[in-house]
Amino acid sequence: MSLMIPDYVVDLRRGIESDEIVPYFQPLLELRTGQLIGFEVLSRWKHPLRGMVPPDEFIRMAEDAGLIGQLMEKVLLHAFSTMRRLPEYLRLSINVSAIQLRDRTLRRQVCLAAEQAGFSLKRLTVEITESALVGNIEHARTITEELKALGVRIAIDDFGTGYSSLRHLHALPFDEIKVDRTFVQTMLSRRESRKIVAAIIGLGQSLGLTTVAEGVEGEAQADMLLWMGCDLGQGYLYGRPVSDKRLERFVLEQKKATRREVGRPPNSEDATFQMDALPSQRLSQLQAIYDGAPVGLCFLDRNERYVSVNKRLAEMNNAPIVSHLGRTVAEMIPEFYVFLGPYIKRAMNGEAFSGLVFRAARADGVVQVRSTSYQPTRDEAGEVVGVSVAVVDITERESAEVALRESEIHHRYAVELSPQVPWTADAQGQIIEASPQWTVLTGLGRDESMGMAWTKAVYPEDLVGARERWTHSIKTGELLDVEYRVRTTEGKLHWMRARAAPRRDDSGQIIRWYGTLEDIDDYKRAKEELREAVARLHGVFDAVPVGIVIAEAPSGRIVMGNPQAEAILRHRILETPDVTSHEEWVMFHLDGSRVATEDYPLVRAVVRGEASGAEEFLYLCGDGVKRRVSLTAAPILGQEGEIIGGVVTIQEGKD
Ligand code: C2E
Ligand code: CA
Ligand code: CA
């Protein structure tokens, strides 16, 4: 009798030996402060033919084939070495499987890898699932006690999904309890899940364990978990698992984000403002993404003239953007205006419409079906100043339903909200210039705002603190970051945040202070709008019948991919590395020759700012089959015309 070794075992062994199995890292945050505290290691198989293979598909296989030890060794060494490059306070969690809990070599393996990588085991948490404990308690106890003696923390994973959980909790010396993601994900919609989550958190608290919620995908869940007293959160809201390469950047960005948090004093070594993620700026980035998205957008003034038009709409109207500006809808698309006119007039009177479907033949004879939405836009006084329009070309759409859903989007949020009031002060802290917005806000005249006169608008209770902080900054040169209330023209109190940084001359003397004042009430509102905008954006992307992938420039990091793209390419998109460096986005020309990475449409868009029309390729899909796809890419440009990203749409080609 001959022993047959199945193909997949041979493949897996080869994969392990050639370092195709790598750790990805998913962040864990403290819910109360939003601070990053560490990462969980989740293994990924970067398969040369199958693309990214998820752990559910190979961990079990490795266990069955007796390869789990070897796999673990590689992953641990890699993960520990990565962590050594990150700040000491960041922790690492790893998963061990049932088989490993029976295996007395686990302890030695962990020790060896830690020693080799110079990683302190005090930073390590080992996660054990409930199901791994079943029928295995005695062994598990010995092993966990050995690990604990080394300073390792032990977590019980997927809590609530196994059997006789309470007995397990009692039997082993756990430090942490992780609420399974299935409960967290449904806790907003299902009362039972909510109760289970609350009960597990309560249980953890009464046993003195750190409680962790996994699968946190939205702010509402995070708020509820915080309110229930949960300590840590993990989930897509805070970050998907990322590769070691992107980890360091993630940690840096995270630091910035936490520092920006309201009420947190800035770090004095930080010499410039970190304003890149202010809502108004993020909104304009979003708008840029909209320019690249397959939705036509424009803004009409009260006279039904185009004030702004995005590229997509210009294409639909078969005319360049500039020839729209200043002209009326009736002039530009008379064939549609016959139907649309009355709705535009009603929108100017304050009514909103979504998903109006019309069919017409364009001047060049092309028949188009369009789904159009109108959203009146108002000024501060509530007067309608114009109408925002979103148009989807549904000519080739089979399902009118999808179109209706898509056309729900409005782009009110694309309108700039700028809550910033810039100001300048001299070295003594006397204001020498402030934006007119200060006058609009406070009703104080220009002269009343110079020097130290700004204090007149500050709410008396906050004045002493604000002045002290300002004086301190002027003396020490430290960045200013202070919050206080001002009384607005309408007599309302608004919370404001003032920040300033000094500008020095060549000898290091401070010569100016550059500051901004920000209405935090507005900030909060803008943040809320941004969240809605992002949700809608996701809505559109998930509903369109083409694949869409968006990458950031210049890194090529994938920031968005819709389910259709994953369905066509048959691999996960967000978890694949940068498109510019990724060896697994493999494509061929129709003649069979390989496409060089720099010639991928998305790479051309991101790197060179090139747009490309529908080009056909053979794409090596995640399942190893080459399929014909049609790719259309465009760069995403920022306000100054700089390339901030690229978008590619993917359609299945006809074979
Ligand atoms: P787990 O320990 O429960 O890991 C969390 C899983 O949830 C991960 O899936 C992660 O990508 C996913 N996840 C995280 N946040 C969210 C979220 O907000 N929403 C949703 N829907 N999912 C989220 P992944 O990476 O596919 O891992 C699956 C399981 O494979 C893990 O479950 C873990 O038990 C196991 N595993 C992964 N790596 C290893 C390993 O190196 N060794 C062992 N023994 N098991 C591993
Ligand atoms: Ca886990
Ligand atoms: Ca889990």
Side-chain angles (χ1 to χ4, degrees), residues 105-117:
T105 58
L106 179 67
R107 175 183 169 276
R108 237 194 37 175
Q109 210 176 26
V110 169
C111 284
L112 265 174
E115 201 171 303
Q116 222 173 317

Side-chain angles (χ1 to χ4, degrees), residues 587-595:
M587 279 188 253
F588 301 87
H589 292 292
L590 297 185
D591 66 10
S593 61
R594 175 98 183 243
V595 183

Side-chain angles (χ1 to χ4, degrees), residues 26 40 43-44 55-56 95 157-158 181 185 215 217 235-236:
Q26 188 176 32
E40 176 176 357
S43 299
R44 297 285 180 268
D56 291 333
N95 294 282
D157 199 0
D158 300 347
R181 62 180 184 275
Q185 273 164 350
E217 293 182 355
Y236 296 166

Side-chain angles (χ1 to χ4, degrees), residues 26 40-44 54-56 59 68 71 75 95-97 100 127 157-158 181 185 214-217 234-236 241 572 575:
Q26 188 176 32
E40 176 176 357
V41 172
L42 296 161
S43 299
R44 297 285 180 268
D56 291 333
I59 294 288
I68 189 76
L71 181 152
V75 171
N95 294 282
V96 299
S97 61
Q100 288 175 288
E127 297 187 0
D157 199 0
D158 300 347
R181 62 180 184 275
Q185 273 164 350
E214 30 173 62
V216 183
E217 293 182 355
Q234 175 182 3
Y236 296 166
R572 295 196 191 182
E575 297 182 7

Side-chain angles (χ1 to χ4, degrees), residues 384-425:
V384 176
V385 292
V387 172
S388 302
V389 185
V391 187
V392 183
D393 183 345
I394 54 167
T395 316
E396 295 187 40
R397 200 64 48 78
E398 299 88 6
S399 148
E401 247 178 64
V402 177
L404 277 173
R405 235 186 308 144
E406 278 172 23
S407 56
E408 295 284 336
I409 54 121
H410 327 118
H411 63 135
R412 164 170 65 94
Y413 37 81
V415 177
E416 248 295 5
L417 316 144
S418 178
Q420 301 277 327
V421 181
W423 52 269
T424 315

Side-chain angles (χ1 to χ4, degrees), residues 187-247:
M187 67 187 282
L188 293 178
S189 54
R190 297 188 45 197
R191 220 161 63 95
E192 306 86 87
S193 301
R194 200 149 57 233
K195 286 192 160 179
I196 292 172
V197 174
I200 298 177
I201 292 172
L203 185 65
Q205 283 172 342
S206 56
L207 292 172
L209 309 179
T210 302
T211 49
V212 188
E214 30 173 62
V216 183
E217 293 182 355
E219 299 274 5
Q221 281 163 306
D223 289 346
M224 190 179 286
L225 287 162
L226 180 60
W227 181 76
M228 288 175 174
C230 188
D231 300 310
L232 309 182
Q234 175 182 3
Y236 296 166
L237 175 64
Y238 310 113
R240 303 213 171 215
V242 295
S243 67
D244 57 349
K245 269 188 256 149
R246 294 204 345 233
L247 194 60

